[in-house]
Amino acid sequence: GFALVFLVLALFIQLRLALWVSLGIPISFLGALWMLPGLDVTLNMITLFAFILVLGIVVDDAIVVGENVHTHQRRHGDGLTGAIEGTREIAVPVVFAVLTTVAAFAPLLVVPGTMGKIMRSIPLIVIPCLLFSLVESLWILPAHLSHLKGPPERPGPWLRFQSRVAGSLQWFVRRAYHPVLDLGLRWRYVSLALGVAT
């Protein structure tokens, strides 16, 4: 999961930024593993499923914070100022996004009976992972990103490849996505009917 997240991020953002953002996964997982004995949870098929379930969620807040910090650093030209302002600007939405996901998994803690004992392991993995990812994205990640330098003046082969990928994505948006979106908005009642029928 870490390798896939890193590869996808590396297609669109700087390699160092992609690496620091991807590190949110092992940090969150290690934090949850550290808490397992205290929560009286063992590693089994259910808890491994919970780790897989949370894998796609834990990196989201790091991506949002990392992108915003990167944007502010390019705007200000200073790593530390960009890290502080970028994190401060996005902190409240990121906290509420994580807390709403925590609230969505929390009811599984009070499911009664045998099924409840089995299901209880899922939120006891997911919630610590999410809370550690929140700490990582708001405190650890900005500290590391404050030391990042800007892109090199002479683009290397990877930057050229990234610009080609970005160009292909822009072409797809212009030629395929935008016309379909326009058509769907013009025929909005047909679009709604198709959605309901599906």
Side-chain angles (χ1 to χ4, degrees):
F2 173 81
L4 284 173
V5 167
F6 174 72
L7 286 172
V8 171
L9 288 173
L11 290 175
F12 301 101
I13 59 178
Q14 283 184 41
L15 286 175
R16 286 171 296 176
L17 180 60
L19 178 67
W20 285 120
V21 167
S22 303
L23 277 174
I25 294 172
I27 290 170
S28 304
F29 278 26
L30 287 170
L33 286 169
W34 174 63
M35 290 190 71
L36 286 188
L39 297 171
D40 195 28
V41 178
T42 60
L43 278 180
N44 53 50
M45 292 300 287
I46 305 291
T47 54
L48 289 177
F49 168 73
F51 275 117
I52 293 169
L53 186 69
V54 80
L55 180 64
I57 306 171
V58 293
V59 79
D60 290 349
D61 44 354
I63 291 172
V64 171
V65 172
E67 271 294 307
N68 205 47
V69 165
H70 186 61
T71 303
H72 276 269
Q73 284 175 337
R74 280 200 319 233
R75 188 179 304 154
H76 298 294
D78 177 34
L80 184 59
T81 306
I84 292 169
E85 288 188 12
T87 306
R88 190 177 290 158
E89 182 181 62
I90 208 80
V92 173
V94 165
V95 168
F96 278 99
V98 170
L99 292 182
T100 52
T101 311
V102 167
F105 280 96
L108 290 175
L109 290 168
V110 293
V111 174
T114 310
M115 198 63 183
K117 289 178 183 172
I118 296 169
M119 298 291 276
R120 190 175 162 272
S121 300
I122 294 174
L124 288 178
I125 295 293
V126 171
I127 292 172
C129 273
L130 289 171
L131 295 177
F132 274 103
S133 79
L134 185 63
V135 169
E136 192 273 337
S137 65
L138 292 181
W139 283 288
I140 300 170
L141 180 65
H144 288 299
L145 295 184
S146 66
H147 303 296
L148 280 185
K149 306 281 188 288
E153 290 178 19
R154 281 179 50 209
W158 186 255
L159 281 176
R160 286 196 293 273
F161 176 71
Q162 278 183 325
S163 66
R164 238 192 272 130
V165 169
S168 303
L169 195 61
Q170 296 275 339
W171 180 87
F172 175 78
V173 167
R174 272 197 322 272
R175 297 297 176 109
Y177 178 72
H178 200 268
V180 169
L181 183 63
D182 277 344
L183 185 68
L185 289 173
R186 263 186 284 133
W187 293 85
R188 57 187 170 276
Y189 298 114
V190 175
S191 302
L192 182 63
L194 281 171
V196 171
T198 304

